[in-house]
Amino acid sequence: MKIDWDVPVRMSDGLVLRADIFRPEDNGRYPVILSYGPYGKGLSFQEGYKTAWEIMARDYPDAVAGSSNRYQNWEVVDPEKWVPDGYVCVRVDSRGAGRSPGYLCHNNVRETRDLYECVEWAAAQPWCSGKVGMNGISYYASNQWRAAAVQPPHLAAICVWEGWNDPYRESARHGGIICSFRKNWQDMQVKTVQHGVGERGKKNPNTGELVCGPETLPDEELVRNREDMWHSFLSRELIDDYYVERTADLSKVTVPLLSAANWGGQGLHTRGNFEGFMRAASPQKWLEVHGGSHWAPFYTDYGVGLQKRFFDFFLKGRQNGWDGQPRVQLNVRRPGEKFDIRHENEWPLARTKWTRFYLDPDGMKLAEQPPKGAKPLTYEPMGNGVTFSMVAQRETEITGPSVLKTWISSATSDADLFVVLRVFDPSGKEVLFYGALDPKTPIGQGWLRASHRKVDPKKSLPYRPWHTHDEKQPLKPGEVYELDVEIWPTCIVVPAGYRIALSIRGRDYEHDDAAATLSNMKNPMKGCGPFTHDDETDRPPAIFGGDVTLHFDRQPYVLLPIIPS
């Protein structure tokens, strides 16, 4: 293939971004697979994300087979697997990152405009057929929702692989509670490849050029050249124009799309894909859901094969049967990381038996009938909270979103609820699952700050409350309040004799096994991956450490999506 390094792409405000172009050797015209992001197009996957690469090579050998892997980058396609099939791969360093100068500010209007202009620039090149698709994981996925919503004329299809859409609800503040991930993410994965790091950064193993541009700027200038994302989130507890600017209007997403979610992506890589599939205006849209690690399935024969079938149909016009592909493809999960592919026609599944299981403090049960005369139950939120459970009398499939309806009072003016869906084997040991980034996670999680309990009845669904996050409603100590806690979608087939459990606590879930680490993550992972909620500025112990009481006279319950056998 031909490779053009650091090709200039001029934006409407005069700034020049830099792109690497991988294309077939002849002078033909081909569809483009485009990505735009902040991770440094010259930084090799193997060096920048060493442990993630080693895990992928060990657990998914087909992901690295059939390629020299010389041009592998984090979360974007391997050109050696795409160019031979008649695609041009375009990688653009986003504004302020890698080889592209400018002010580093993520997901704002200017970046969305850059995406539009990059699509149209690529479409106008002599090696392009005029059709552009976008593909990639996480950051390279989430920005596709915004790019599609501004409707570049030559954007023909998008493959959103584990990409959030709503930065407030799915990234910055889960249920109103700030998530520490973005602070650590900017420190570990973005500042290290900011344009101007220069000689202090890595070199492209293929060109020998500096990944972060030819200039080496002083630290104080680098600070001036980037937004402090953590401060932006920390200083904005409620949704305002900042978050709205970074949220795609899904009603304007009309291009064909494939949305790929991860069951284990609780905290970042699940909800947005389901919401995007349900709410996008595209008449041609598909949902795929898998398990396993966050990055590897994208590169496997399964992942690449699915992506190519989709893009071959919409970018090349190849009649490969994709138009007969069922709209939903689920990798149905069982204990032991076992999956069965099953096709469906919609999401949530039309045949779902939405079932209430009532919280019964007598024996700490999940019961099909509400308890009578149950007394309130108080827990200390910084401990392990309380757990209600039931034994599956027969094999039971839970597939879909869930919601906890409960009534609480607090000893203080607020309370944070962390809600965890769990499974235990007959011996009492918890069954944990690969959680996208954390190798041992529970089956589902949900969060809500009690002062953010206000919901929009027009946007809420019986199985998915929609919290407005537009005003705080402080609690009066001792007074009882109704809460609806959204639990992100999940899937598990629970064998007969196993226990299904629901935990309510005031801090992040942690399992009892050894913690795991990744070289690109700051903290050891204990069950929530990097998606922790431990900032005392946002969660002062004097408020969020106060006792919380559950009240049972109004029949609290968890609504679970039971799928008939």
Side-chain angles (χ1 to χ4, degrees):
M1 59 187 173
K2 289 183 177 179
I3 307 174
D4 302 309
W5 305 104
D6 272 350
V7 175
V9 184
R10 186 172 296 276
M11 297 291 99
S12 54
D13 64 351
L15 188 95
V16 175
L17 303 178
R18 295 290 172 177
D20 292 342
I21 317 295
F22 303 82
R23 54 194 176 95
E25 282 188 305
D26 62 39
N27 293 318
R29 296 163 67 88
Y30 298 95
V32 165
I33 301 295
L34 180 120
S35 59
Y36 169 108
Y39 294 142
K41 61 183 175 57
L43 179 64
S44 74
F45 191 147
Q46 297 91 322
E47 185 174 17
Y49 299 83
K50 185 175 184 293
T51 51
W53 176 265
E54 291 170 348
I55 291 168
M56 182 170 74
R58 180 193 71 203
D59 295 346
Y60 302 87
D62 61 318
V64 301
S67 171
S68 73
N69 297 304
R70 288 179 58 189
Y71 310 106
Q72 287 277 23
N73 271 184
W74 177 245
E75 298 188 333
V76 296
V77 302
D78 177 2
E80 288 189 71
K81 292 189 176 182
W82 286 80
V83 173
D85 282 349
Y87 286 96
V88 176
C89 297
V90 176
R91 293 174 175 168
V92 185
D93 271 341
S94 60
R95 184 175 292 245
R99 305 281 293 180
S100 294
Y103 185 70
L104 184 62
C105 185
H106 303 288
N107 311 135
N108 62 354
V109 168
R110 182 63 249 184
E111 182 175 282
T112 302
R113 185 64 198 175
D114 286 352
L115 289 161
Y116 180 106
E117 293 175 10
C118 286
V119 168
E120 294 306 296
W121 174 86
Q125 301 310 302
W127 33 256
C128 181
S129 67
K131 288 187 178 293
V132 178
M134 294 184 70
N135 196 11
I137 314 173
S138 195
Y139 197 103
Y140 298 99
S142 70
N143 61 22
Q144 295 177 45
W145 297 120
R146 289 179 292 106
V150 295
Q151 301 181 349
H154 292 90
L155 182 61
I158 59 174
C159 176
V160 186
W161 199 279
E162 300 190 32
W164 72 95
N165 168 62
D166 185 329
Y168 184 96
R169 294 174 178 86
E170 296 160 12
S171 175
R173 288 184 170 271
H174 298 130
I177 310 165
I178 200 164
C179 176
S180 302
F181 169 69
R182 283 297 182 189
K183 176 183 180 180
N184 299 330
W185 171 78
Q186 192 169 39
D187 286 345
M188 297 286 289
Q189 291 182 238
V190 179
K191 286 161 60 173
T192 52
V193 287
Q194 183 180 354
H195 183 82
V197 169
E199 294 285 355
R200 296 194 296 274
K202 306 290 187 182
K203 289 186 177 180
N204 184 325
N206 295 296
T207 66
E209 298 287 349
L210 294 169
V211 168
C212 302
E215 303 173 287
T216 302
L217 302 177
D219 286 339
E220 56 270 21
E221 188 168 349
L222 292 175
V223 170
R224 289 195 300 271
N225 286 348
R226 66 174 180 260
E227 177 201 24
D228 183 344
M229 176 179 264
W230 177 246
H231 175 74
S232 297
F233 287 176
L234 193 60
S235 61
R236 292 175 170 87
E237 184 176 342
L238 300 175
I239 291 179
D240 61 7
D241 290 344
Y242 177 89
Y243 294 110
V244 172
E245 176 183 340
R246 290 160 172 77
T247 304
D249 183 347
L250 293 171
S251 71
K252 295 181 179 178
V253 175
T254 58
V255 297
L257 69 90
L258 172 60
S259 178
N262 190 321
W263 297 124
Q266 307 284 321
L268 188 62
H269 300 118
T270 298
R271 184 185 188 273
N273 285 100
F274 289 104
E275 290 290 326
F277 173 74
M278 289 193 298
R279 292 165 45 215
S282 305
Q284 296 172 300
K285 55 184 179 179
W286 286 263
L287 173 69
E288 185 275 347
V289 197
H290 52 271
S293 78
H294 161 56
W295 60 94
F298 178 82
Y299 296 94
T300 61
D301 292 344
Y302 167 83
V304 174
L306 191 72
Q307 297 157 40
K308 283 185 179 176
R309 283 185 59 225
F310 171 73
F311 282 120
D312 281 354
F313 185 82
F314 287 108
L315 300 189
K316 294 182 177 181
R318 184 170 294 170
Q319 297 306 303
N320 58 6
W322 183 267
D323 51 338
Q325 170 80 8
R327 289 306 174 104
V328 176
Q329 179 168 308
L330 306 180
N331 285 267
V332 177
R333 183 168 63 174
R334 295 173 181 270
E337 300 294 337
K338 297 175 182 176
F339 297 92
D340 299 310
I341 292 180
R342 190 175 74 210
H343 291 119
E344 302 285 351
N345 297 313
E346 71 290 307
W347 182 269
L349 308 188
R351 66 183 183 282
T352 303
K353 184 180 178 183
W354 299 99
T355 307
R356 293 183 179 186
F357 294 95
Y358 295 91
L359 279 54
D360 186 348
D362 182 12
M364 302 303 291
K365 299 188 295 287
L366 290 175
E368 295 187 21
Q369 299 299 321
K372 295 180 181 179
K375 295 180 180 179
L377 178 64
T378 299
Y379 65 90
E380 194 279 301
M382 294 303 128
N384 291 325
V386 292
T387 298
F388 303 84
S389 67
M390 61 183 174
V391 176
Q393 299 302 313
R394 62 189 67 83
E395 184 176 85
T396 303
E397 180 182 340
I398 300 170
T399 297
S402 306
V403 61
L404 170 66
K405 166 80 76 173
T406 190
W407 285 263
I408 72 153
S409 60
S410 173
T412 69
S413 61
D414 215 337
D416 284 346
L417 269 67
F418 293 73
V419 179
V420 191
L421 284 177
R422 309 167 73 181
V423 172
F424 294 85
D425 69 18
S427 72
K429 180 174 175 57
E430 185 167 10
V431 183
L432 299 172
F433 299 86
Y434 211 115
L437 290 168
D438 191 321
K440 295 180 180 180
T441 64
I443 63 169
Q445 298 189 63
W447 310 262
L448 183 64
R449 176 157 290 173
S451 60
H452 287 240
R453 62 191 177 278
K454 178 183 172 184
V455 296
D456 183 338
K458 292 182 178 179
K459 291 185 177 180
S460 292
L461 299 167
Y463 48 80
R464 195 268 287 127
W466 187 273
H467 296 93
T468 59
H469 300 293
D470 60 358
E471 66 171 309
K472 288 192 71 171
Q473 299 178 334
L475 311 184
K476 292 181 180 179
E479 194 165 310
V480 179
Y481 298 90
E482 178 182 358
L483 305 181
D484 295 290
V485 185
E486 175 185 2
I487 303 171
W488 285 16
T490 191
C491 172
I492 181 64
V493 179
V494 182
Y498 280 54
R499 263 195 310 137
I500 301 166
L502 177 88
S503 293
I504 304 172
R505 46 200 286 144
R507 62 181 178 90
D508 284 313
Y509 164 91
E510 291 184 2
H511 57 62
D512 296 327
D513 293 354
T517 57
L518 282 174
S519 60
N520 56 306
M521 300 294 164
K522 190 167 188 176
N523 300 322
M525 295 180 286
K526 304 176 183 179
C528 294
F531 309 113
T532 55
H533 308 79
D534 53 8
D535 184 83
E536 289 195 357
T537 306
D538 182 69
R539 304 187 67 226
I543 295 177
F544 296 99
D547 285 353
V548 175
T549 300
L550 302 177
H551 297 265
F552 300 94
D553 53 338
R554 303 179 203 185
Q555 303 175 350
Y557 62 84
V558 60
L559 184 72
L560 295 182
I562 305 300
I563 307 303
S565 59

